[in-house]
Amino acid sequence: MSVENGASPRAQTASSILNNPTVRAVFYQVALVISVVVLFWWLWSNAMQNLALQNKATGFGFLNQVSGFNISFALIPFERTSSYLTVYFVGILNTLLVAAIGIVLATILGFTMGIARLSKNVLIRGFAAVYVELTRNTPLLLQLIFWYFLSLNAFPPVRQSWELPGSIVVNQRGLSFPAPAFDGPFLLLVAVALLAVVIVFVMRRWAMKARDVSGTIPSGIVTAAHYTDVIVVFAIAWLLALFAQVMILGEANTIASTLTAAVIAAVSATRYERLARLAIIALVVVGAGVPAMLAALSALPAFLSNGFDAVGAAIGGTQGLEADAGRTVIARVLAFVLAAAAIWHAFRTIPEKRGSRNLRFPVSLSVVLIVGLPTLFYFLSGAELAFDPPELQGFNFRGGWTAPPELTALIFGLVVYTAAFIAEIVRAGIQAVNYGQTEAAASLGLKDGDRLRLVIIPQAQRIIVPPLTSQYLNLTKNSSLGAAIGFPELVNVFVGTALNQSGRAIEIIGMTMLVYLTFSLATSLFMNWYNARVALVER
Amino acid sequence: MSLELDIDHTPDRSKMTVSQTDIAIEIRSMNKWYGDFHVLRDIDLKVMRGERIVIAGPSGSGKSTLIRCINRLEEHQDGDIIVDGIELTSDLKRIDEVRREVGMVFQHFNLFPHLTILQNLTLAPIWVRGVPKAEAEETAMKYLERVKIPEQANKFPGQLSGGQQQRVAIARSLCMNPKIMLFDEPTSALDPEMIKEVLEVMVQLAEDGMTMLCVTHEMGFARQVANRVIFMDQGQIIEQNEPEAFFSNPQHERTKLFLSQILH
Amino acid sequence: MSDLTFVRSDMQPALPPPVRTTGAIAWTRKNLFPSVSNGVWTIVAILFLLWLVPRLYGFLIGDAIFTDPEGLRGEACRFEGVGACWAYVAARFNFFIYGFFPLGEVWRVNIMFILGIIFLAPLLIPKAPLQKTAALMFFVVYPIVSYWLMAGGEFLGIPGTALRTVPTNQWGGLTLTLIISMIGIIVSMPLGILLALGRQSKLPIIKWFCVAFIELWRAVPLITVLFMASVMFPLFMPQGVNPDTLLRAIVGICLFQAAYMAEVVRGGLQAMPRGQYEAASALGLSKPKTMGLIILPQALKHVIPGIVNNFIALFKDTSLVSIIGVFELLNTVRAAARDLDWSSPTQAVTGYIFAGFVFWIFCFGMSRYSIYMENRLHTGHKR
Ligand SMILES: Nc1ncnc2c1ncn2[C@@H]1O[C@H](COP(=O)(O)OP(=O)(O)O)[C@@H](O)[C@H]1O
Ligand SMILES: [Mg+2]
């Protein structure tokens, strides 16, 4: 496109300048910059004029002024005399609290539902599908209002609070539970627990290193695992026996359950291990199965339960019992079927589970160390943990920690809503891994669990993590809907109340947006880092 | 498609011994359905140790389904399949036992894309057989050398050509020391020059006395390596014979038609 | 080795599968009891259903009140153990659908709905005739006609077409929800495409402007955008200019939605193979023509599912305008719940269930449509 030597200046016509891509580029960009600047200048001058007319000041000086209002739920000390800056921090902390709890719970529920959607079992699959389609396709705000309404109306008034074991109190004012005092013994216990985690971690690394050398994990660990297995069996059996007693007899006898658990644990260490398993399954069936079935039977619509009563009466009649007792007989029969199924299952799965013992670090050992070390320390040191339980004083419960209904409803709603999206992400991620991968792993002899752990999950993870992170961000942003049900998160206290009182719209909205921008930026930084790390190497 | 396999050396048939008494796989009146579709009908097949069988037949005739039943990637509904003395039932333990002894090579390789070549090869020995890592890696390198790509050990599958990937897949199966190898059209996703490199590996395997079942349309390979060719159509074994006789003198009309189509 | 030779003499006919692998029992085994632990889950699920279904049935149908023949209003549902109070929904139905729109003028809203369906249908059905005309009608003519029908006044200043004016604060209910979503969709599409193209641009200032615009909107929750629209918007306008709340909310939603749309469109643009660009410039097409004729049509077609998912999100998000006091569907339901005439234990819940059901129908319909389009696209690939 060079201009010929000696060509007249007319050769450089106006149109050729306009067609020159560089000139065009500069022109477009300058035009954009100018229009943006003009637009902002116009908006700004309007704002200044309006503010001057309304006699309003600008600037961030108001942050140190006394806010003069109260916040019902704050993680840091807050009073009417606290400043707007404190309001800001209370809001941010509350938002973060909701986000943190919400993310953990939504992940658990979401993964469960996502895997359930892939189940071979039509009922499970169908249930998960209904859940996902219902929650994804209705507005979150509507759901939040609904849950909030329920939490206000479905729970009892303060006077008739449900008092659950462990000093947990549920009523219309929220969910209260004992708060540990953060004193010396408590911190020491936390330290021991952390130490136990570190020990398990180090031990695991050592065992896996040793496995690289010899092919199996060290025999010391294997032996230890035999003992910890027994301890775990004892603990489970003990709890189950207690539970079963409460469910059936209405009261618990610790001596009886200790004896039962001890016998079961002892048997589990012998070669009659499967008997112990059967006993545990029987405890589950007796403790959970029978009461569940009785509840279900009594909840059947009238005609059905009449039918059952008729059958029950027939059975009862032949044995000289009442219809009610007959119904219990039916429940027992069902429980027996359940137990038989469980037994059959135990018989079939025990032998194959044994083999993999020496290749993986035993779970029971980790559990026993992490739970057991702090417990042991607690009893041996004789330290007393101080708890501050909620107690009824006058018209309200005082002491302990109380999660107000706004908080519970907000977290519950966010979790149920976000988990539906997470479930879809998980399902899509697992389905995206080619079925040939499972087949190849199977043809190499890898067992079901190993196939998942070593082949499917690492591949699905790359697909799942990026959209999962953006769901976490969505949950955090959606926590701002707490404003609609009166939970004092950032938008509610700062953009709502603080803005109303101070009138500093520009500053307050700017500061709020800054918080969300930071969350968003952190998320995308993480995602870029993750994507770069896991990117598959391709030609 | 040329009848003669263009391989650098002619396989030495004298080295390939077949046991006369030792049965590797026995299938007795086996039937399989996909829903209402009768996909495998009345299959009877006895494979001796050291035997090399080529299975041919039109697309959709049930070849893949048949060999996938042998390591129970598919479940059969009727009849018996006994592999290496173990009868295949729904018992998970037996299935795992069989899968440990039977290697399989797929048309689309199915390498694990998130693991390096070496990790692909050592995964199963470490996690299934409990082989020490160093030993597993040593074995892996041995087999990588046998398939002539030791220098690729630390690359990822995505960085390899199709032929190289398929050779890795063969090596991955061999690392488990299988007694029987199943091949499901191992070369049909490959370019011609890559087909050759994969077939060379398979010929070598045959020379080493491996019991092999290959679904393939590489007739040159069948002629030179197989000691039996099985022809399938509509889910049934239509004809089986020694390769020479099979190619020169097919008996069944269906076989003749198929051969006339494939050899031109 | 003669035993190696075998020739089948007669073909084995296809047989039906053995009974134990088909039929109800096999189905039950495969789908309900594939393994024992799975079977335990089945039993748990059945118990759960036994618990849930009678209760749901009782609340929604069995113990529900459908009619109020004696004109008792709230009285009709005010007793122990009452289920849903459908009579209340029936009585306030007009309010839920039309908000405060004058009852005598409701026919105008209905005409708008019918016209919308007529213009939209050809656009949604693949390969329907008259798509270009329908697109023109829907995107250009329909908004103008709708505005006239809703707001009243003279149609384009033509004398004799005057309708009674209805101020926007009388618009409401499902009608308003649909209006907000429609405007959001119609405005955010072109805006989103422009932003996406800008983000792909090689001119750094344009690119970074678009990136900043998109990321800023996407980073903040919609509710702050709406607060901004309601408190900051008037501040930035010249003296005396004070657009009504609804318009402010709609502007906020459109800008917000455009940023999300831009990201979906960008996905489509990035998925286009380079060859398409190269082929187009080899044919001598200018850049704008390459974009408009070759790239965009294909890219947009590929991201139809993503676009529809965005619409679903937008439709659900319209409920947030209730927070700044606009009476869309959710807000009318909330307002009606405070209606003392109908006060009963289940008044509010019934209203929420109704609103949830309406939202669900629309969103579920859209999501099915998106799946249908996705499947169509995939089969198109295979052929
Ligand atoms: N999972 C399946 N479900 C239903 N039908 C199948 C399935 N897999 C294969 N088929 C059908 O079974 C027949 C045999 O398939 P296949 O064994 O793959 O044939 P081949 O490998 O000989 O080409 C084909 O008609 C195929 O459509
Ligand atoms: Mg096949």
Side-chain angles (χ1 to χ4, degrees):
Chain A
M1 257 190 239
S2 64
V3 180
E4 284 282 316
N5 253 4
S8 69
R10 288 187 59 208
Q12 190 123 14
T13 58
S15 88
S16 76
I17 293 182
L18 284 187
N19 281 333
N20 180 329
T22 331
V23 176
R24 270 195 187 195
V26 171
F27 171 75
Y28 285 144
Q29 306 201 53
V30 169
L32 179 72
V33 170
I34 290 178
S35 35
V36 170
V37 167
V38 167
L39 178 70
F40 271 86
W41 174 81
W42 181 70
L43 294 174
W44 189 249
S45 62
N46 283 341
M48 285 304 115
Q49 222 173 346
N50 287 333
L51 287 173
L53 276 175
Q54 295 167 17
N55 259 334
K56 280 190 189 158
T58 50
F60 290 93
F62 76 102
L63 285 176
N64 293 324
Q65 289 168 13
V66 169
S67 60
F69 59 89
N70 213 346
I71 297 182
S72 59
F73 181 86
L75 294 176
I76 51 177
F78 187 88
E79 290 158 15
R80 275 175 195 284
T81 51
S82 300
S83 66
Y84 281 113
L85 193 64
T86 322
V87 174
Y88 187 51
F89 288 128
V90 167
I92 294 178
L93 282 179
N94 282 349
T95 294
L96 284 177
L97 175 78
V98 171
I101 301 177
I103 284 173
V104 172
L105 297 181
T107 308
I108 297 172
L109 183 62
F111 272 73
T112 315
M113 285 296 166
I115 291 166
R117 282 211 73 176
L118 295 170
S119 167
K120 283 186 196 146
N121 189 315
V122 264
L123 284 177
I124 308 270
R125 206 170 8 153
F127 178 73
V130 168
Y131 159 73
V132 167
E133 294 299 354
L134 272 186
T135 39
R136 270 201 322 176
N137 289 320
T138 40
L140 172 59
L141 182 60
L142 175 63
Q143 293 183 32
L144 284 179
I145 292 172
F146 184 78
W147 296 127
Y148 182 52
F149 180 83
L150 275 194
S151 73
L152 286 186
N153 291 285
F155 292 119
V158 174
R159 287 276 160 184
Q160 292 144 30
S161 298
W162 299 337
E163 302 198 22
L164 306 179
S167 300
I168 297 172
V169 180
V170 182
N171 57 38
Q172 283 172 349
R173 304 259 174 99
L175 174 78
S176 312
F177 40 91
F182 292 108
D183 52 4
F186 180 80
L187 292 181
L188 206 58
L189 205 63
V190 171
V192 173
L194 286 180
L195 186 71
V197 173
V198 172
I199 289 177
V200 167
F201 188 74
V202 171
M203 218 151 117
R204 191 175 168 278
R205 284 201 65 149
W206 169 71
M208 293 319 267
K209 278 244 167 68
R211 193 198 72 165
D212 283 350
V213 176
S214 68
T216 59
I217 58 170
S219 62
I221 300 267
V222 179
T223 319
H226 285 306
Y227 291 107
T228 51
D229 275 352
V230 174
I231 298 175
V232 169
V233 169
F234 178 83
I236 292 176
W238 192 76
L239 287 176
L240 285 177
L242 220 54
F243 184 66
Q245 285 176 19
V246 172
M247 292 311 263
I248 299 294
L249 306 174
E251 57 185 339
N253 183 335
T254 27
I255 299 176
S257 47
T258 309
L259 278 179
T260 318
V263 171
I264 293 178
V267 173
S268 79
T270 67
R271 66 196 169 88
Y272 300 107
E273 179 197 25
R274 56 177 66 161
L275 281 180
R277 273 174 201 260
L278 297 188
I280 286 197
I281 290 166
L283 282 180
V284 174
V285 170
V286 171
V290 175
M293 248 171 292
L294 285 176
L297 288 182
S298 60
L300 281 176
F303 65 95
L304 250 187
S305 89
N306 284 345
F308 264 94
D309 278 348
V311 180
I315 295 175
T318 57
Q319 300 176 356
L321 298 170
E322 293 292 313
D324 211 30
R327 201 194 282 189
T328 320
V329 172
I330 301 176
R332 289 222 178 103
V333 171
L334 281 177
F336 178 77
V337 173
L338 212 66
I343 289 165
W344 187 50
H345 179 53
F347 268 108
R348 280 183 31 159
T349 49
I350 291 166
E352 56 141 343
K353 283 204 174 121
R354 269 230 179 108
S356 58
R357 144 77 33 104
N358 299 347
L359 293 178
R360 237 189 288 167
F361 191 75
V363 180
S364 66
L365 185 58
S366 321
V367 172
V368 165
L369 284 179
I370 291 175
V371 177
L373 275 185
T375 316
L376 203 66
F377 170 80
Y378 178 66
F379 284 114
L380 289 186
S381 68
E384 283 281 317
L385 276 191
F387 275 99
D388 174 20
E391 264 167 78
L392 190 61
Q393 284 176 7
F395 294 109
N396 213 342
F397 276 85
R398 304 210 181 272
W401 276 333
T402 300
E406 293 81 23
L407 177 64
T408 359
L410 179 60
I411 290 180
F412 189 81
L414 284 174
V415 166
V416 167
Y417 185 75
T418 315
F421 289 86
I422 294 181
E424 282 304 276
I425 291 170
V426 169
R427 178 180 70 106
I430 294 178
Q431 278 180 336
V433 179
N434 192 333
Y435 192 64
Q437 295 287 312
T438 312
E439 293 191 332
S443 75
L444 285 169
L446 286 166
K447 291 198 188 69
D448 215 0
D450 286 341
R451 291 205 287 265
L452 263 180
R453 216 164 41 82
L454 300 169
V455 177
I456 308 303
I457 289 177
Q459 291 184 56
Q461 195 181 321
R462 293 152 194 267
I463 306 168
I464 290 173
V465 169
L468 184 66
T469 346
S470 59
Q471 282 307 322
Y472 291 165
L473 183 62
N474 278 351
L475 187 146
T476 312
K477 287 195 286 176
N478 283 337
S479 71
S480 58
L481 289 189
I485 58 171
F487 179 73
E489 47 67 62
L490 181 62
V491 169
N492 192 4
V493 291
F494 208 53
V495 182
T497 322
L499 196 156
N500 259 343
Q501 290 205 1
S502 69
R504 305 294 178 96
I506 302 175
E507 297 84 345
I508 284 186
I509 292 204
M511 284 172 73
T512 311
M513 288 178 111
L514 189 69
V515 173
Y516 288 105
L517 266 178
T518 314
F519 292 156
S520 159
L521 201 67
T523 313
S524 48
L525 282 181
F526 168 79
M527 248 183 303
N528 285 345
W529 169 80
Y530 182 82
N531 282 336
R533 206 179 71 97
V534 302
L536 282 184
V537 187
E538 303 271 357
R539 264 138 75 87
Chain B
M1 207 173 290
S2 76
L3 237 176
E4 282 312 308
L5 178 59
D6 186 21
I7 291 178
D8 294 341
H9 71 288
T10 325
D12 184 356
R13 277 185 173 272
S14 65
K15 278 207 265 172
M16 310 181 192
T17 51
V18 177
S19 159
Q20 298 300 315
T21 51
D22 207 358
I23 301 174
I25 303 171
E26 184 166 12
I27 300 179
R28 288 191 297 240
S29 14
M30 188 265 277
N31 284 282
K32 170 165 180 60
W33 286 263
Y34 281 126
D36 284 338
F37 175 48
H38 197 173
V39 56
L40 290 179
R41 308 180 194 168
D42 196 22
I43 303 284
D44 277 291
L45 181 66
K46 207 186 265 183
V47 182
M48 294 300 180
R49 227 172 262 297
E51 234 189 331
R52 300 160 307 278
I53 295 181
V54 161
I55 303 174
S59 166
S61 55
K63 308 178 296 289
S64 303
T65 310
L66 173 60
I67 66 167
R68 287 157 62 86
C69 280
I70 292 173
N71 65 352
R72 212 176 169 91
L73 289 181
E74 302 288 351
E75 182 184 343
H76 63 281
Q77 280 97 20
D78 194 18
D80 309 315
I81 302 180
I82 299 158
V83 181
D84 198 31
I86 306 165
E87 182 178 351
L88 278 173
T89 61
S90 58
D91 182 345
L92 288 178
K93 199 179 161 209
R94 289 197 204 177
I95 295 174
D96 283 331
E97 235 171 276
V98 166
R99 285 176 179 168
R100 277 201 291 270
E101 307 304 333
V102 179
M104 177 143 186
V105 175
F106 301 84
Q107 180 177 356
H108 294 289
F109 333 133
N110 291 345
L111 293 179
F112 306 132
H114 60 298
L115 302 177
T116 63
I117 301 303
L118 194 62
Q119 287 168 336
N120 262 282
L121 266 64
T122 55
L123 185 78
I126 290 177
W127 285 99
V128 178
R129 292 225 192 272
V131 176
K133 195 172 169 201
E135 195 183 318
E137 284 178 353
E138 203 177 300
T139 318
M141 286 314 292
K142 188 182 94 192
Y143 283 112
L144 278 183
E145 259 152 44
R146 252 180 77 174
V147 301
K148 307 200 185 72
I149 34 176
E151 72 283 357
Q152 312 284 7
N154 291 315
K155 288 198 183 159
F156 285 89
Q159 295 169 292
L160 268 53
S161 75
Q164 290 172 325
Q165 289 197 40
Q166 192 61 296
R167 283 184 280 156
V168 171
I170 296 175
R172 179 175 70 177
S173 290
L174 293 179
C175 281
M176 283 295 284
N177 265 327
K179 295 183 182 145
I180 300 165
M181 284 287 287
L182 309 174
F183 293 83
D184 190 0
E185 308 207 23
T187 54
S188 48
L190 299 178
D191 295 338
E193 71 267 35
M194 295 175 180
I195 293 182
K196 195 181 128 196
E197 64 193 42
V198 171
L199 287 183
E200 272 171 9
V201 171
M202 289 169 63
V203 167
Q204 202 187 17
L205 206 57
E207 280 180 7
D208 294 346
M210 176 67 76
T211 312
M212 293 164 69
L213 256 83
C214 311
V215 175
T216 180
H217 290 153
E218 294 297 328
M219 291 307 153
F221 173 80
R223 230 170 226 262
Q224 298 188 21
V225 177
N227 41 13
R228 204 172 356 151
V229 179
I230 291 179
F231 178 74
M232 286 184 72
D233 190 22
Q234 292 176 25
Q236 21 201 331
I237 296 178
I238 300 285
E239 181 167 350
Q240 66 171 318
N241 214 331
E242 285 171 31
E244 273 316 313
F246 180 84
F247 289 113
S248 58
N249 187 18
Q251 304 289 314
H252 200 281
E253 285 309 315
R254 230 13 228 103
T255 323
K256 287 178 192 165
L257 182 67
F258 178 76
L259 283 179
S260 73
Q261 278 168 354
I262 204 169
L263 297 181
H264 293 291
Chain C
M1 277 191 276
S2 61
D3 64 322
L4 278 188
T5 322
F6 165 84
V7 181
R8 187 173 278 280
S9 46
D10 40 19
M11 297 291 276
Q12 170 91 31
L15 298 173
V19 188
R20 68 188 155 74
T21 63
T22 53
I25 294 177
W27 186 91
T28 311
R29 230 191 97 88
K30 187 162 165 255
N31 290 292
L32 294 178
F33 299 92
S35 68
V36 175
S37 54
N38 229 313
V40 173
W41 280 112
T42 300
I43 292 176
V44 172
I46 289 176
L47 290 177
F48 179 70
L49 285 181
L50 285 181
W51 176 84
L52 181 75
V53 171
R55 272 150 219 259
L56 266 187
Y57 174 85
F59 184 83
L60 294 178
I61 298 167
D63 305 327
I65 301 298
F66 288 90
T67 51
D68 177 25
E70 289 145 65
L72 297 173
R73 301 185 157 215
E75 201 64 54
C77 302
R78 222 173 291 151
F79 59 91
E80 186 72 8
V82 66
C85 189
W86 297 121
Y88 152 73
V89 171
R92 305 308 312 266
F93 193 74
N94 270 338
F95 180 57
F96 294 158
I97 303 297
Y98 305 108
F100 300 103
F101 212 82
L103 266 188
E105 307 290 319
V106 153
W107 58 271
R108 284 155 52 178
V109 181
N110 291 338
I111 289 185
M112 183 181 74
F113 284 156
I114 293 169
L115 282 181
I117 295 172
I118 292 175
F119 293 149
L120 196 55
L123 295 179
L124 296 183
I125 303 167
K127 297 199 180 127
L130 297 177
Q131 283 202 319
K132 286 236 168 77
T133 324
L136 187 74
M137 296 299 271
F138 185 75
F139 288 108
V140 181
V141 179
Y142 184 58
I144 301 173
V145 174
S146 300
Y147 181 75
W148 171 61
L149 285 172
M150 286 301 294
E154 287 181 342
F155 182 62
L156 297 175
I158 301 167
T161 55
L163 292 172
R164 188 179 142 192
T165 46
V166 181
T168 56
N169 60 14
Q170 291 186 14
W171 304 7
L174 178 63
T175 314
L176 190 54
T177 297
L178 288 173
I179 288 177
I180 299 176
S181 338
M182 275 301 160
I183 299 179
I185 289 170
I186 292 174
V187 176
S188 70
M189 256 323 260
L191 216 55
I193 294 175
L194 277 184
L195 285 169
L197 290 177
R199 194 171 183 166
Q200 299 283 82
S201 164
K202 289 200 184 72
L203 311 180
I205 296 184
I206 292 191
K207 178 175 175 178
W208 288 113
F209 172 77
C210 292
V211 169
F213 186 90
I214 293 171
E215 293 306 328
L216 197 74
W217 289 107
R218 279 163 41 91
V220 295
L222 179 56
I223 184 171
T224 55
V225 174
L226 291 174
F227 269 122
M228 203 160 79
S230 82
V231 295
M232 265 167 75
F233 206 90
L235 207 60
F236 285 111
M237 287 293 116
Q239 276 299 303
V241 181
N242 200 4
D244 69 2
T245 321
L246 179 60
L247 184 60
R248 283 184 251 157
I250 289 178
V251 170
I253 286 189
C254 287
L255 293 177
F256 184 79
Q257 192 60 26
Y260 281 84
M261 199 57 80
E263 281 306 274
V264 174
V265 175
R266 182 168 77 114
L269 289 177
Q270 281 178 338
M272 291 305 298
R274 275 187 63 88
Q276 292 290 320
Y277 290 89
E278 286 165 3
S281 38
L283 286 172
L285 291 179
S286 68
K287 269 225 171 127
K289 280 192 179 148
T290 306
M291 268 300 165
L293 296 176
I294 313 288
I295 306 298
L296 263 183
Q298 296 188 64
L300 287 183
K301 205 170 145 192
H302 265 98
V303 292
I304 286 179
I307 293 176
V308 177
N309 281 342
N310 247 354
F311 290 167
I312 296 177
L314 166 65
F315 190 78
K316 288 186 293 180
D317 279 349
T318 55
S319 60
L320 264 64
V321 296
S322 63
I323 295 176
I324 57 170
V326 175
F327 277 87
E328 50 63 72
L329 177 59
L330 180 58
N331 215 8
T332 51
V333 169
R334 284 183 92 177
R338 289 188 289 269
D339 180 351
L340 287 182
D341 277 352
W342 278 97
S343 93
S344 76
T346 57
Q347 178 193 15
V349 171
T350 310
Y352 293 142
I353 293 177
F354 170 74
F357 180 70
V358 173
F359 274 110
W360 185 83
I361 288 281
F362 278 91
C363 295
F364 187 70
M366 283 193 268
S367 77
R368 288 297 109 168
Y369 178 73
S370 132
I371 291 172
Y372 162 75
M373 286 307 286
E374 204 166 357
N375 290 341
R376 257 183 64 85
L377 285 177
H378 281 310
T379 48
H381 264 300
K382 268 184 213 150
R383 265 183 233 131

